[in-house]
Structures are given as structure tokens and as C-alpha cells.
Amino acid sequence: MSFHDLGFYECTQERIKFLADRDKIKAKVSTQDTEEVTKVLNHYKEKGMNEQVKIFKVLESIRTKTYDTLLKGNPLPTHKEILEIVGNESIMAVAYRTVRKNEGAMTPAYFLPNNIFKNLPPTQQEIIFDSYWLPDGFSRPLLEWVCESVRKGTYVWGASRRIWIPKPGTDKLRPITIPPFMDKMVQEAIRMVLEAIFEPEFMKMNCSFGFRAGFGCHHNIVSLTDSRNTQTFKIAIEGDIKDAYPSMDRNILLTILEERIKDRKFLNFMRKRLSLIVYDVKAKEYEKTEVGLPQGGVDSPYLFNIYLLGLDKFIKNDLQKKLIDPVNEFRGVDKRVGEYKYNPRSSNYNERRKHPEFVSRYMKLTQTTLKEKLNKAKTLGISVEEYDFRLPKANIAYKNLKQWKRYKEVYELRKSNLSKITRIDDLYKELFYQVRLRNLLRHKLRQVRSTDPNRTKIQYHYSRYADDFIVVGNFNKVLAKRFKQEITDWLLKERKQVLSPEKTVITDLYKDSAHFLGFELFARKTRKLTKVTDKKTGKSFLRRTAGWFLSVIPDRQRLVNRLHMKGYCNAKGNPIHIPWISGMEPHIIIERFMSVSLGLANYYANFITSKQVLNRWLYVVRWSCLKTLALKYNTNIAGVMNRFQNADGTISAKYLIRARDKTGKLITYSKEWSLLSEGTIIRRCSDYSTRMAINQLLLDIDSNKQVSNTNSSGRTPRIFDVDFLEKINWVNFRTQANFGLPCSICGASQNMEMHHIRHIRKRKYSSIPANETWTKVMALRNRKQIPLCSNCHDRLHAGKYRGESIRLINLSPRLFDNRIVNSENYITPAIEPIYSLPLTEHLASTGWRDVNNKTGLS
């Protein structure tokens, strides 16, 4: 039951039921614009249009400088005064805005130990006691204090709370650390700065996609299944670091940061940040962590990415060099005996010619050949160019001496240009000698040690997501074990971490499948038709080619475990009903299960080899929905079909509401929720352009092109987003404007604080007490924050406020203005200031249709 967010769906059910009444209430609290609010909003709007905050240009210049240096192959630049950037007020305001809307923003941390708290200055004690753990009560003076204390290095890190949550698919518990809200805000500012410094390196490596803006699991899968990278690969090494976060060495992380950041104050600040005080709920005691990086911090995933950046470089660059190193090279495997040995006779010329030993011998032999060639040409009395003309013909003469007659006429024609040659037999003897000389040269070069005795260029592809990584290659298991051992040794020596022996396995993709990020990968042999163009005629024709490619399907056992854990099926994967959902309305039940099906299809449909494989799992969710409806009505599946099946075979539930239009006419509106079939869901979620866009992005990065990730709506702009500077400036000014708005209750403009509540979508409107008028307004406007003066805020939390001033008394000099709650639409110039649509237009835009008018409008 803990895996189903029933509160949200109960609120959705109530919102649909009282949709018309909610719009009436919303219209009542819509007021005219007040002069004071208009003045504040116009002030910040003008600043946003006319001013550019310099600190964001500094971040952009850091990113650009590093990226250009990487492209030129020069040493990476170092940076100073980083702590000043972290403590900048605009950076911290954007960090505050980013963290405040997170789902866990209202989750409290824990009190500092008394022996530390009592030694703090009175000002810090008051701040920590009042508004340190939660975003409620945050204000501009508090923002300024945080920035100043960070710049001076005197910021006091709070005590985090460690909780234990079930680990999916196992009986183990996973520790999660919850820092205070203020700590999260500072950590977000640290992450923003570190991202500007290190993100170009991650872009250049193009192999780690976990916890990076604009990247995710699908980028890993696309990079693995792109035939350009992994065609003919047959071995996979699945890697997982044991206790990755808890075993991280902090001194090594600080050393990595010191290589790029020459700011002693920042490094000391980070040392304090890593040395957290944690209160363990399970052990009921404080613990000062000495090693590791607690999971739960906003910057923890990115710091861990930086920690493993060296592993990315080792596997992708350094390990590849070891494959061709003449001393410590990987040698091939004799397939006949299965032992590790060197076989010089089965050498690959294309690889051997790149070998240092080959190059040195080739140069010596070539120089000797050139001297002999000059002497022979001088003896014959011809130029070296004319001498070279005969050599290709000698190859044919050597294979079949009778073919010499075919070229005799050619030489007779050229005889006028070959002075001082008296007999053609002398020319033939010379050509025959050159053939033997070339053959001798090849014989000597064949003795050079080969980097790949099996006539196959050793290739592999590496991809990482956080602490999980996978390496796929065209080598065999003996070489894979050596490969795995090299990675194990490097991790232990350079990062003091070990690979999990249970989860780090070598898989033959012909016989079994590898598991990565909820997908299964296996090698599939194929014989396909390829279009070939004849260079001479220009005509195209089809040719059958053989090979094998990496195929991808959903991780079957993992999906069974997840669906079973959430109650959709039993341990064998057979669908069952979910009793605690059966009490809801049928349209809410259908919407609940459809959201799961669509989420499942959206994750897998565009990134697996065969979409039909999804039918098995969509079938489980669909039939679980039918069985839940059967439980609700105490019937069987046939009874559910009779009740909800339409003439066209679709299963749907309708809901009716009645509302009045502008003329006062009462109109009945209906909306239908359908339980779609498996094939319909797959077709709806299929969008090959998504995969193509990811593939093109990875290709552009490999080609050293300047790339930008499109900023998704509602997310704080990141350093590689399109129009980063313009968007981040508007986010900054919109956040600053919230601190300048008047009190929502009394209209005061001094000592302003932000009143923050849990997300209103998970709270029923009918459950809000009548005297909490401010919460009702926030619920109607779907906002979690509202500005209040310190006096009204204190009265509100003390239970002394009764909602008298917000009732829109016409005699009051300052009326409540809706823009106080929803200020973003009035700051950003691209968004029109719309209070709300008329009810009929609002219903039509959200899928409701007039029963008597199919267009949806009366």
C-alpha cells in the first residue's frame, strides 16, 4: 500500500466531483490588480529586461573556457575564488527556488547536538531554531545571511536525519540522509558551480549519463545499441561498486577538486560539508561520519560522478592504450586450446602497421630498399618514378610468368621514354628481382609482435550510470577476465573501492543476457539485406549480409518483482486485484492504472528491439485493473465487460457534471476515461524521433560539435541549456520578486517571510478548515508558497489567525491580489497574465464535452 499514492488520487477524485463549484469559488476570490503589487512586479520585470546578472556570465565563461581547452587538447584550466561564486546572492536565490519545489522540501532533518548548538552565536541559534530545517519562514534577510556566512566560510552545517527505506526487489534496507533545507540550498549552489567546471569533461567523455541535466538512462541504452559502437560485440562485463557512496574516500575527492579549483577557502568549506553530523533514526544516536558520501544530499550524486570521472578516463582512454602497449599488451587467445598464448603467424597487418616496433623496422627496411632502388635505376639509366611504374606489373608476372606477354606491348610503347635499355630481358629480370625483394620485406615484417593475434581489432564500448557500469566488447571470456581485473585493480588503488562480486559478472551475450538499467541486452544474429551501389555503373542492388547486433528487451525478472511488490501480480507474474484502490470511483481506478501503463510504455517502447514484448507487462496492468473493478462491484470479468464495454469494444468510464455558462444556462458536461488495449498504448507512446534525437546528440558530442540540451518546462535552466543566460536571469528576478511582494493578509511590506506548505494537490479541499482562508486560496491557485509578514506568519502558526482580513473587505485600503500567489506569469514577458479561463472554455480545454453539443462549447 505504501507504493500507491492514494492521497493524490483521492484529491483528484474530489477535484473532478466539485469542478464547477471550485471554479465558482475561484471566481469569488479573483480581485482587481492593486497598485502596490503592480509596482513591485513592473520593477522586477524592467530589471529582467534591462539588466544581466554578471555572476551567470561568469559561470558561462567557466564552462566555455573549459570546453574550448578540451577541444584544443591543452591542459585543463584552474579556477579561483569559487566560494565567492557559491555565496553570491543571485546564485543562492536560484538554488533556493530549485530546492523549494522538490517533493522532499518539507521533510524535516534533525536538531544539532546540544554541545554544538550552545556554542553558536545567538543570531545563528535563532536562525537555526526558527527556519533552518524547512523552507517555511524563508526571507530575504535570511538569504543575505546565508550568502555572507558562506563567503566567510562560517556557515554552520546542520544535523541530517538518516532513515531506512526498503530496497526494491530485496529484503535489505537502504539508508537515506535528509539534510536541513538550508543545507540543501547551499548544496544546490555548490552543484551549480561544479557543473560549470566539470560538465565539459563529462560532455567530452560522453559515457556517463547518471544525474546530469538533460541526460538519463535512455542515453546509456541508445549508446549501447547503436550499431556504430557495438556491432559484432559478444561479451558484456556488468559492473557494480560495492557500497559506492559509503565507501567513497573524501581525501581523494578533495584531491580531485584541488586539481581544478585553486581556492583553499572553498576546499576547506567542502571538507566541512563532507564531515556531516547524522542522527540515525534506527540506532537513535548521533554519528559523525568520517568516510563516505551520505546519500540524500542535493550535490551528492554529482560529487560522486566527479569521483568516478577518473574511472571513465581509465576505461575509455588508458585501458585502450594498454591494448597496444608493446610491454603490457593484452594478448589474444588460441581458440584451439583455450590458453593464453602468442601466435605470431596469425597476425593482422592493419593493426601491426600501427605498432611502434613495426614502424621502426619498416623505416629501416624502406630506407635500404630506397638505396637499392636508386642504384638499380642508376644502372638502368632511368628515373626512380619510371622505375616504380614497373613494380605493380611485376606482382602479376610473379604469380604467373605467362602473363608477362600481356604487358610486353605496354613496355614496348614506353620504350622510347626508357633510354639506355638495350634488352627487354634485362627489364624483366629487374622486375623479378623487385618482386622477391618485396616478398622478403613482407616476410621480415611478419615477425613483428602483433597486438591482436586473432585477426580482430579489439574493440569495446563503456557506459556508466552512477555506480553501475557496463562494458561490451568483441573479445572472449579469457580477455574479459583480464579486463575486469584491470578495472578492479584500478578502483582499489586509485579510489579505494571494490566491485561487488555478486553483481559484477561476465556474460556471453550469445548464451545469456546482460542486465542494465531495467533492460536486458543480448547478441542477436541476423542476416539482412543491405543496399549496395556499384561505383562504375551507379546502379543500386540488394546484397545479403551476415552479422550480429545487440538487441534490447525489458528486464523480465525485474519487472515481475516490481509489479509484484506494488500489488499488480503475484510472484509468478499473474495479474491480481488491488483491494485498497477498489474503493475509488471507476474513472479514477482506470486513470490510475492507465498512468502506470503509459509510464511503462513511455520508458521502454522507443528503446527496445521489439515493441511487442511489452504486451506481456501491459497485459498484467490492464487485467489487474479489470480485476480491481470486479472486486469493487462484487462481480467477475464478464460483469465488468457488460458494465463498461462500449459498442466498439473499448472499456471506459464516464463522469457527468453540471455547470452554468455565461448566460446562466445549466449544461451537462461529460468526460470519458478509457482503458486502452496493449497495442493502442504502444502505438500512442511510440515516437522514434525521441530515440533519433538522443542518437544525434551523442553523435554531435563525439564529433566535438557545440551542443545544447533543450530546457524542459518548469525546470531551472542548467549550464548547457539553450539560451542559458537569458532563462537563468528571469528565474533569478522572479525569485527575487517574491521577497518584495506585500503580505497576503494585511498588505504590509516589511519583514516579509515565505509561508510554505506541503503540496496542495495531495490535500483535499474539503478537508481544509474554514478559518485557513490563505490555504484555500493557495489550493485554488495550486501554489505551495505565499508571502506573509512576520507578524501574520507568527499569528498563523500560533493558531490565532481566523481569516478576517483576507475576506476582501471593500473598505480595506489594501485588498488581496491574486498575483501575489501567482507572480511568475506577470514577471516573464512571454506569458500572458491570465487569471483563469471561463468555465466552459476551461472544461472544453481539459477534455470535457457538452452532452448536447459535441464540440464541447455551449
Side-chain angles (χ1 to χ4, degrees):
M1 186 173 180
S2 60
F3 296 102
H4 297 273
D5 194 356
L6 299 181
F8 171 74
Y9 289 97
E10 288 174 353
C11 293
T12 304
Q13 178 175 289
E14 185 195 65
R15 189 177 296 111
I16 294 173
K17 186 176 181 180
F18 299 105
L19 185 60
D21 294 334
R22 284 173 58 88
D23 275 49
K24 292 178 183 178
I25 300 171
K26 194 173 182 179
K28 287 182 180 180
V29 298
S30 296
T31 61
Q32 60 184 355
D33 297 353
T34 57
E35 182 179 352
E36 185 174 357
V37 175
T38 301
K39 183 178 179 181
V40 173
L41 296 178
N42 287 339
H43 169 70
Y44 284 99
K45 186 172 183 178
E46 291 175 3
K47 289 186 68 175
M49 296 179 69
N50 300 324
E51 295 184 14
Q52 294 291 323
V53 181
K54 295 181 180 180
I55 193 65
F56 299 123
K57 291 185 178 180
V58 173
L59 285 183
E60 177 69 14
S61 64
I62 290 174
R63 196 271 303 178
T64 305
K65 183 179 179 181
T66 306
Y67 194 78
D68 293 342
T69 304
L70 284 171
L71 291 180
K72 295 177 181 178
N74 297 330
L76 290 170
T78 57
H79 308 281
K80 300 178 180 179
E81 299 181 356
I82 296 299
L83 196 60
E84 291 289 330
I85 302 176
V86 175
N88 184 272
E89 192 170 316
S90 296
I91 294 288
M92 202 65 69
V94 174
Y96 160 73
R97 180 183 178 82
T98 303
V99 176
R100 78 176 189 190
K101 59 185 179 182
N102 290 347
E103 189 174 352
M106 291 296 290
T107 305
Y110 210 76
F111 300 97
L112 276 170
N114 190 44
N115 60 338
I116 297 178
F117 182 78
K118 66 181 181 180
N119 294 327
L120 296 177
T123 305
Q124 289 189 359
Q125 289 184 358
E126 183 179 356
I127 291 174
I128 291 175
F129 186 77
D130 288 342
S131 55
Y132 194 79
W133 299 277
L134 302 175
D136 184 64
F138 197 80
S139 61
R140 185 184 294 278
L142 188 57
L143 177 69
E144 295 172 354
W145 174 84
V146 173
C147 294
E148 184 180 0
S149 59
V150 168
R151 290 195 298 267
K152 292 181 178 179
T154 59
Y155 178 79
V156 179
W157 296 92
S160 301
R161 183 165 62 97
R162 180 188 295 156
I163 61 174
W164 298 83
I165 62 174
K167 197 171 184 179
T170 64
D171 298 331
K172 300 179 181 179
L173 296 176
R174 173 180 292 168
I176 297 295
T177 304
I178 304 173
F181 173 79
M182 206 83 73
D183 286 6
K184 293 179 183 178
M185 187 177 69
V186 178
Q187 290 170 5
E188 173 64 18
I190 293 172
R191 187 206 57 76
M192 290 175 62
V193 178
L194 291 179
E195 193 175 55
I197 298 173
F198 288 94
E199 190 63 17
E201 285 194 77
F202 287 113
M203 277 283 187
K204 182 68 175 177
M205 296 303 299
N206 201 23
C207 60
S208 173
F209 306 108
F211 301 101
R212 289 176 55 209
F215 295 94
C217 301
H218 292 147
H219 291 76
N220 291 88
I221 299 303
V222 171
S223 70
L224 286 168
T225 55
D226 182 11
S227 60
R228 176 181 56 88
N229 293 331
T230 57
Q231 186 177 1
T232 71
F233 286 4
K234 56 187 178 180
I235 291 292
I237 306 173
E238 305 168 53
D240 183 86
I241 300 175
K242 185 177 182 180
D243 296 330
Y245 282 79
S247 64
M248 192 199 75
D249 191 291
R250 297 173 181 174
N251 293 326
I252 294 178
L253 175 61
L254 291 172
T255 303
I256 296 172
L257 295 176
E258 191 175 4
E259 292 175 359
R260 299 290 311 281
I261 301 173
K262 303 300 181 182
D263 185 351
R264 186 60 55 187
K265 290 174 62 177
F266 176 78
L267 295 174
N268 292 333
F269 186 75
M270 288 299 299
R271 186 173 284 105
K272 294 178 182 178
R273 177 262 177 273
L274 295 172
S275 303
L276 292 177
I277 299 174
V278 178
Y279 180 81
D280 195 317
V281 175
K282 192 176 180 180
K284 296 183 179 180
E285 61 181 8
Y286 286 99
E287 174 187 339
K288 188 171 179 62
T289 57
E290 300 295 338
V291 295
L293 182 65
Q295 288 180 272
V298 177
D299 60 342
S300 295
Y302 204 80
L303 285 172
F304 189 75
N305 270 341
I306 295 173
Y307 189 71
L308 288 187
L309 181 59
L311 177 65
D312 300 340
K313 295 178 180 179
F314 172 73
I315 295 179
K316 197 165 184 181
N317 298 333
D318 299 342
L319 198 54
Q320 178 68 27
K321 294 178 181 178
K322 296 189 73 172
L323 292 174
I324 61 174
D325 184 75
V327 179
N328 300 313
E329 66 175 341
F330 284 115
R331 297 180 181 178
V333 180
D334 191 331
K335 298 179 181 179
R336 296 170 297 176
V337 296
E339 295 179 355
Y340 195 71
K341 55 186 284 187
Y342 171 64
N343 184 4
R345 291 185 174 272
S346 59
S347 54
N348 186 349
Y349 177 76
N350 290 331
E351 283 300 311
R352 188 172 64 253
R353 60 190 293 270
K354 302 176 185 178
H355 198 285
E357 189 176 351
F358 175 91
V359 174
S360 61
R361 290 193 183 187
Y362 179 78
M363 291 301 295
K364 292 178 181 179
L365 293 171
T366 303
Q367 291 175 2
T368 304
T369 305
L370 287 174
K371 292 180 180 179
E372 294 178 355
K373 183 187 296 186
L374 289 172
N375 294 333
K376 294 294 181 180
K378 186 177 181 180
T379 303
L380 294 174
I382 59 177
S383 64
V384 178
E385 290 77 7
E386 293 173 329
Y387 187 87
D388 288 337
F389 169 77
R390 309 163 189 163
L391 194 57
K393 315 304 178 185
N395 279 319
I396 300 175
Y398 177 73
K399 293 177 182 178
N400 188 354
L401 296 179
K402 293 182 180 180
Q403 292 185 6
W404 168 249
K405 295 180 180 179
R406 304 170 83 184
Y407 298 97
K408 186 175 181 180
E409 296 179 0
V410 177
Y411 283 97
E412 287 292 342
L413 295 174
R414 299 276 315 255
K415 193 173 181 180
S416 58
N417 298 325
L418 303 178
S419 58
K420 298 184 180 180
I421 294 183
T422 57
R423 296 194 314 165
I424 197 68
D425 292 338
D426 295 338
L427 180 61
Y428 176 78
K429 290 180 181 179
E430 176 61 25
L431 294 174
F432 188 80
Y433 169 76
Q434 289 296 329
V435 171
R436 296 190 63 184
L437 185 63
R438 172 177 284 188
N439 190 48
L440 179 63
L441 175 63
R442 289 176 177 174
H443 175 72
K444 292 181 178 180
L445 293 178
R446 196 174 290 120
Q447 306 305 313
V448 178
R449 285 186 53 181
S450 173
T451 60
D452 185 8
N454 289 320
R455 291 179 176 263
T456 302
K457 182 180 179 181
I458 297 178
Q459 294 177 319
Y460 60 89
H461 182 77
Y462 161 73
S463 186
R464 178 173 68 85
Y465 189 95
D467 60 329
D468 297 328
F469 66 87
I470 187 170
V471 181
V472 291
N474 61 351
F475 38 78
N476 51 31
K477 279 195 173 182
V478 176
L479 187 56
K481 290 179 182 178
R482 176 79 179 275
F483 204 109
K484 174 184 172 182
Q485 188 61 44
E486 291 286 340
I487 299 174
T488 303
D489 295 343
W490 188 93
L491 270 175
L492 186 61
K493 179 181 179 182
E494 302 294 336
R495 295 296 182 264
K496 298 183 179 179
Q497 292 187 314
V498 297
L499 293 177
S500 173
E502 299 84 9
K503 298 181 180 179
T504 304
V505 294
I506 299 173
T507 306
D508 186 345
L509 297 178
Y510 286 157
K511 301 177 181 178
D512 202 353
S513 56
H515 304 265
F516 189 58
L517 302 178
F519 292 85
E520 287 187 40
L521 291 85
F522 60 92
R524 177 173 60 91
K525 290 186 178 180
T526 179
R527 292 183 61 85
K528 64 178 184 179
L529 294 175
T530 303
K531 189 175 182 181
V532 180
T533 304
D534 192 338
K535 294 182 179 180
K536 294 183 179 179
T537 62
K539 296 182 179 180
S540 299
F541 57 92
L542 295 178
R543 175 180 294 172
R544 189 173 295 279
T545 60
W548 54 89
F549 302 88
L550 287 186
S551 296
V552 183
I553 60 174
D555 193 330
R556 293 163 290 183
Q557 189 58 47
R558 179 172 178 173
L559 276 178
V560 170
N561 294 339
R562 292 297 179 93
L563 292 175
H564 173 54
M565 180 177 60
K566 296 184 178 183
Y568 296 99
C569 65
N570 56 21
K572 295 182 179 181
N574 300 320
I576 59 176
H577 61 268
I578 304 179
W580 46 85
I581 299 180
S582 60
M584 297 182 182
E585 295 288 343
H587 61 279
I588 297 297
I589 295 176
I590 291 177
E591 183 185 24
R592 172 75 180 86
F593 283 87
M594 277 303 302
S595 64
V596 175
S597 298
L598 292 172
L600 187 66
N602 278 322
Y603 185 77
Y604 285 109
N606 299 310
F607 302 96
I608 57 178
T609 306
S610 177
K611 297 179 181 179
Q612 286 71 24
V613 180
L614 276 178
N615 288 337
R616 171 70 178 88
W617 316 109
L618 296 176
Y619 157 82
V620 170
V621 179
R622 186 169 185 267
W623 276 81
S624 178
C625 179
L626 293 175
K627 291 188 175 185
T628 303
L629 289 171
L631 177 65
K632 177 179 178 61
Y633 293 101
N634 194 21
T635 183
N636 54 18
I637 300 298
V640 172
M641 294 294 185
N642 292 333
R643 181 185 290 265
F644 296 103
Q645 193 169 24
N646 300 325
D648 58 354
T650 60
I651 299 172
S652 61
K654 294 182 179 179
Y655 193 79
L656 303 176
I657 62 171
R658 305 186 74 183
R660 296 187 183 275
D661 61 2
K662 298 177 182 179
T663 63
K665 181 181 176 182
L666 194 62
I667 303 175
T668 302
Y669 288 89
S670 70
K671 189 175 181 179
E672 190 174 67
W673 287 262
S674 299
L675 185 63
L676 304 178
S677 64
E678 293 85 352
T680 305
I681 293 174
I682 292 175
R683 285 192 296 272
R684 177 174 293 187
C685 297
S686 297
D687 184 9
Y688 196 66
S689 62
T690 304
R691 180 188 181 94
M692 292 298 295
I694 294 176
N695 193 23
Q696 188 60 46
L697 175 67
L698 299 179
L699 288 174
D700 290 343
I701 295 174
D702 284 338
S703 303
N704 295 328
K705 293 182 180 179
Q706 286 280 2
V707 297
S708 298
N709 296 333
T710 303
N711 180 33
S712 58
S713 177
R715 179 172 63 83
T716 303
R718 306 291 277 266
I719 195 67
F720 269 95
D721 281 340
V722 179
D723 300 328
F724 165 74
L725 291 178
E726 181 180 353
K727 292 178 180 178
I728 199 72
N729 271 291
W730 281 110
V731 172
N732 173 44
F733 286 123
R734 277 156 40 191
T735 308
Q736 300 278 2
N738 290 333
F739 298 129
L741 292 173
C743 176
S744 301
I745 295 178
C746 68
S749 57
Q750 301 295 328
N751 301 323
M752 298 303 300
E753 299 175 353
M754 299 304 296
H755 174 56
H756 195 108
I757 61 175
R758 289 188 179 274
H759 207 299
I760 205 67
R761 291 186 303 170
K762 298 181 181 180
R763 186 175 180 183
K764 291 183 179 181
Y765 185 82
S766 59
S767 66
I768 302 175
N771 62 327
E772 292 188 13
T773 51
W774 68 91
T775 309
K776 289 182 176 292
V777 172
M778 296 169 73
L780 292 170
R781 297 295 172 188
N782 196 24
R783 287 295 182 270
K784 295 191 292 185
Q785 283 194 329
I786 192 170
L788 297 175
C789 66
S790 58
N791 185 30
C792 291
H793 201 199
D794 293 340
R795 290 174 59 209
L796 187 149
H797 281 290
K800 297 179 181 180
Y801 177 70
R802 294 294 179 263
E804 56 274 7
S805 298
I806 205 170
R807 304 256 310 144
L808 308 180
I809 303 173
N810 292 331
L811 298 177
S812 175
R814 291 171 177 168
L815 303 180
F816 177 79
D817 192 324
N818 288 285
R819 296 175 299 173
I820 296 176
V821 183
N822 192 12
S823 63
E824 286 84 354
N825 291 349
Y826 305 91
I827 298 295
T828 307
I831 302 177
E832 294 296 330
I834 300 175
Y835 291 123
S836 62
L837 291 171
L839 178 58
T840 53
E841 296 182 17
H842 173 70
L843 291 174
S845 65
T846 54
W848 292 88
R849 295 292 179 264
D850 183 357
V851 174
N852 299 320
N853 183 6
K854 300 304 181 182
T855 61
L857 295 177
S858 59

